[in-house]
Amino acid sequence: MSSPLLDRLNPEQLAAVTLPHASALILAGAGSGKTRVLTTRIAWLLATGQANPLSILAVTFTNKAAKEMLTRLAALTPANLRGMWVGTFHGLCNRMLRMHYRAANVPQLFQIIDTQDQLALIKRVYREHNINDERYPPRQLQWFIADAKEQGLRPNQVEAGDDFTRRQVEHYALYEAVCQREGVVDFAELLLRSYELLASQELIRENYRRRFAHILVDEFQDTNILQYKWLRLLAGPNAAVFAVGDDDQSIYAFRGANVANMQHFERDFATAERPVTLIKLEQNYRSHGNILDTANALIKNNRLRLGKNLWTNEGGGEPVRAFVAPSDLDEAAFIVDVVQRLAQDGVALDAIALLYRSNAQSRVLEHALFNAALPYRVYGGMRFFERAEVKHALAYLRLLAAPDDDGAFLRVVNFPPRGIGARSLEQLQDHARGSGTTLWQAGCGGAIAGKSGAAVAAFVKLIEGMRTATASLTLAEAVKHVNEASGLIAHYRQEKDGRERIENLEELVNAAEGFLREADLAVDAPMQTPSAHGAVADEPAIEGATDPLTAFLAHAALESGDTQAAEGRSALQLMTVHSAKGLEFHTVFVTGLEEGLFPHENSLNELDGVEEERRLMYVAITRARRRLYLTHAQTRMLHGQTRYNIASRFLSEVPRELLEWLSPPRRRGLDIDRSEWGNSAAVVNSRATQPGPSWRVGQSVKHAKFGLGVIIDAEGRGNDARVQVNFRDAGVKWLALEYAKLQPA
């Protein structure tokens, strides 16, 4: 067991890395070194001769994580990693389909459409078949299709219990037909088509089962139903599946993630000879003890979990600080004040994060930061490959690779404008539909006459000319040529704010060259663009792809689904808790801890919805390394209305001794009982001759006459104390506590 690879591993990490050949579930808590365990496990298998790179398949959830894994492995092992399959589910399925396109019944040069292009295609289907887009919103069909595919269902397999669903199934079938005709696949189709390939082609399935003796999966808690089924098909009876995940950090149910996959793993991947091994990584290397104790106390309230308890050798550290503000403006002012003091103490701004449950919360925070001249960045803005000018350039490139791509054709046939109006495009589409051809074929055949027909012919000639001109160019040179020859550069030069768009087009050239370098391809090799008849070079440029252009277009489509980190100078980080997953910061503010906001009101009506919200809160807490602030506001302007808030249940689930409450407010001479401070908002006591109950702003109450309501204000003390209550049916009332006979709701 003596090896430099095993140095500095704790006992649980060591056990995971050196496991014998059997499937294992590694329950890896936040900050427990799961990436290190995963990569060291692969290096250990290679170093000990238990595996070679060709027998390993490693699945990550982002392209960035895949690149990081390969970089770490290259530093850990001298083995040649070129033959190893490492990538996202979508990336690996793309690779598989490229290699078996005939068996999968897809064109050799199939194009991947991202979510925006998919929506545009759905809208085209609606226009072609006169579908009412108000009754059947295109985005709703997009979600319907994704959900069906993630469950492994084709249109004829979806059960329709009502007329609306039956129509959605019909629209799904129309969409499928267009995709098949044009040779395009969406993200969900990549996985479904790959799953169907493995399920129907025994020889191909058995070939992969013999090859991949070791399958390693990162972020296993985020797998959906179809991804889990794909893994089960791919893993033969002798394969060792090494699944690393944390059920307490499963927060993507809205994307289809199924946390139950972790609970099913031990049953589904065990054999009579080899039961699944469960190892818990509970030692945390990120946060101080008080932060971890807060996270542990919160998450233990969830019923549906495998169970673990984070701990650290770093000591307790500072207490977790909590603050209740009278309003969201006061909450923002408090945060600005603390951030300024932290900055004076030497904490870098980009090491501080402001987390919120809803994007709508950011406006007040941004306004306060702007007024205080504190630089900030809202994490998760428009991604590079989703920017309009970049998508225009990619559409031209897609036409060079596969001219029958109607989506790409429609995007740029009149952009930059060249005199082809909507009516002319309708005529072209009618002709293509009537003759069973693509728009490109219709355009080549002179389907429409007049000036518009001449303009379409000129566009076809432009694409053919670019294809000829770029055939001998490198990929980067080809992208640069397309930017110029298409007229995009000239078009944006005429725009007032076109400089930034031109810079993005120039950056696309760098992206193409960088892609080739990362793929270990010669950057000066000719692009080998397919001819108009689809002929390609005999030798593929990269395993699973036919030429550099097709590979780059697939890369661009897959990258558009990845979250990109904020870039540039040091600035405060603002983001939703979902966006913060996988990140860590010196100081974290979790804001808006109010019932209906966090946990979100939608979760109250969903099965296990509050448990997912609690996992989301757990993720928020465990982003902090040294300081954690929990804040909420008694009133908040949200969605155009003032909300009177009850403190989040998550605050009351944290033991009082772990929290240090900061500067509780004194409003209108309110008698504040600090002994109650730590459970909720400002507390007002009725100090009559008999000790009365304690009341707090934001508390739900009931009255014999007025019914249910929420305390929104209070004043006075003793026998003169009174509260203002917003009743659900009776409106706002002031009530004297001595006579009102209020009861907690």
Side-chain angles (χ1 to χ4, degrees), residues 299-314:
I299 202 63
K300 74 179 182 181
N301 291 283
N302 271 10
R303 298 174 295 104
L304 306 176
R305 59 189 297 258
L306 296 171
K308 64 182 183 310
N309 202 61
L310 298 178
W311 61 276
T312 182
N313 283 326
E314 293 294 314

Side-chain angles (χ1 to χ4, degrees), residues 225-530:
I225 292 173
L226 186 58
Q227 289 164 344
Y228 187 73
K229 292 170 68 175
W230 184 83
L231 286 169
R232 291 191 66 189
L233 261 186
L234 193 62
N238 298 316
V241 181
F242 190 86
V244 182
D246 183 1
D247 57 339
D248 289 334
Q249 295 189 75
S250 181
I251 60 173
Y252 296 120
F254 67 95
R255 294 182 188 170
N258 184 21
V259 68
N261 288 346
M262 296 196 71
Q263 296 165 345
H264 297 159
F265 184 89
E266 290 185 84
R267 178 196 67 199
D268 294 338
F269 286 89
T271 65
E273 300 79 20
R274 299 181 303 163
V276 168
T277 302
L278 175 65
I279 296 178
K280 298 181 181 182
L281 304 182
E282 298 174 300
Q283 184 174 357
N284 179 281
Y285 295 92
R286 175 188 300 160
S287 307
H288 278 159
N290 287 330
I291 294 171
L292 299 180
D293 290 344
T294 299
N296 290 331
L298 176 86
I299 202 63
K300 74 179 182 181
N301 291 283
N302 271 10
R303 298 174 295 104
L304 306 176
R305 59 189 297 258
L306 296 171
K308 64 182 183 310
N309 202 61
L310 298 178
W311 61 276
T312 182
N313 283 326
E314 293 294 314
E318 300 184 27
V320 175
R321 297 172 172 91
F323 181 77
V324 180
S327 71
D328 51 352
L329 298 175
D330 297 307
E331 180 187 46
F334 164 76
I335 291 171
V336 165
D337 180 61
V338 175
V339 168
Q340 289 173 328
R341 286 189 278 113
L342 288 171
Q344 291 171 0
D345 292 340
V347 179
L349 287 179
D350 56 10
I352 303 173
L354 276 56
L355 308 185
Y356 36 81
R357 178 64 180 85
S358 168
N359 276 310
Q361 294 171 246
S362 71
R363 184 190 63 82
V364 171
L365 295 171
E366 290 186 61
H367 185 69
L369 294 170
F370 177 81
N371 287 341
L374 281 171
Y376 68 90
R377 184 174 299 109
V378 179
Y379 185 95
M382 182 67 75
R383 300 163 189 159
F384 178 77
F385 287 114
E386 292 177 344
R387 294 169 185 167
E389 61 276 13
V390 174
K391 287 182 71 67
H392 289 325
L394 291 174
Y396 277 106
L397 292 169
R398 281 165 55 185
L399 288 176
L400 298 192
D404 289 331
D405 184 342
D406 282 3
F409 185 99
L410 284 174
R411 184 176 188 93
V412 295
V413 65
N414 196 43
F415 194 90
R418 48 178 60 91
I420 304 172
R423 178 60 188 153
S424 299
L425 285 177
E426 287 178 8
Q427 292 175 353
L428 190 64
Q429 288 174 292
D430 289 341
H431 180 88
R433 185 165 53 253
S435 59
T437 63
T438 64
L439 294 177
W440 173 265
Q441 293 166 346
C444 291
I448 56 177
K451 291 184 179 179
S452 294
V456 171
F459 175 73
V460 169
K461 185 176 180 180
L462 171 68
I463 299 299
E464 293 283 12
M466 287 195 291
R467 179 182 288 110
T468 301
T470 58
S472 59
L473 299 179
T474 67
L475 178 60
E477 289 170 343
V479 175
K480 184 176 182 179
H481 176 85
V482 167
N483 285 342
E484 293 283 356
S486 65
L488 289 174
I489 296 291
H491 173 79
Y492 289 123
R493 282 200 184 107
Q494 304 304 314
E495 287 193 354
K496 180 180 179 181
D497 301 316
R499 182 63 248 172
E500 183 178 350
R501 295 184 183 274
I502 292 174
E503 289 172 356
N504 288 333
L505 290 174
E506 293 169 346
E507 183 59 29
L508 185 63
V509 179
N510 298 333
E513 184 168 323
F515 164 74
L516 293 181
R517 293 186 188 280
E518 290 177 0
D520 198 22
L521 297 174
V523 296
D524 56 352
M527 190 177 65
Q528 299 177 338
T529 305

Side-chain angles (χ1 to χ4, degrees), residues 19 41 64 219 255 280 297 334 336 434 445 611 634 741:
L19 274 172
R41 169 68 174 173
K64 179 182 177 183
E219 304 288 4
R255 294 182 188 170
K280 298 181 181 182
F334 164 76
V336 165
E611 293 219 350
Q634 295 170 343
K741 297 182 180 180

Side-chain angles (χ1 to χ4, degrees), residues 24 26-28 43 53 69 73 83 172 197 245 277 291 303-304 348 355-356 426 439 485 497 552 559 584 593 652 731:
I26 312 302
L27 197 59
M69 180 180 289
L73 279 172
Y172 177 11
L197 173 71
T277 302
I291 294 171
R303 298 174 295 104
L304 306 176
L355 308 185
Y356 36 81
E426 287 178 8
L439 294 177
D497 301 316
F552 176 63
E559 278 282 330
E584 60 181 73
L593 286 170
S652 64

Side-chain angles (χ1 to χ4, degrees), residues 42-104:
I42 297 174
W44 173 254
L45 292 172
L46 296 173
T48 56
Q50 299 178 65
N52 63 68
L54 294 177
S55 68
I56 294 175
L57 180 140
V59 188
T60 65
F61 263 79
T62 66
N63 291 301
K64 179 182 177 183
K67 293 172 186 175
E68 181 182 350
M69 180 180 289
L70 286 170
T71 300
R72 291 195 183 196
L73 279 172
L76 289 174
T77 175
N80 185 347
L81 305 175
R82 187 174 181 84
M84 187 185 299
W85 279 37
V86 179
T88 64
F89 278 102
H90 293 122
L92 295 173
C93 289
N94 169 62
R95 187 171 186 172
M96 188 177 291
L97 293 177
R98 299 282 179 194
M99 298 179 71
H100 306 286
Y101 65 93
R102 288 191 181 91

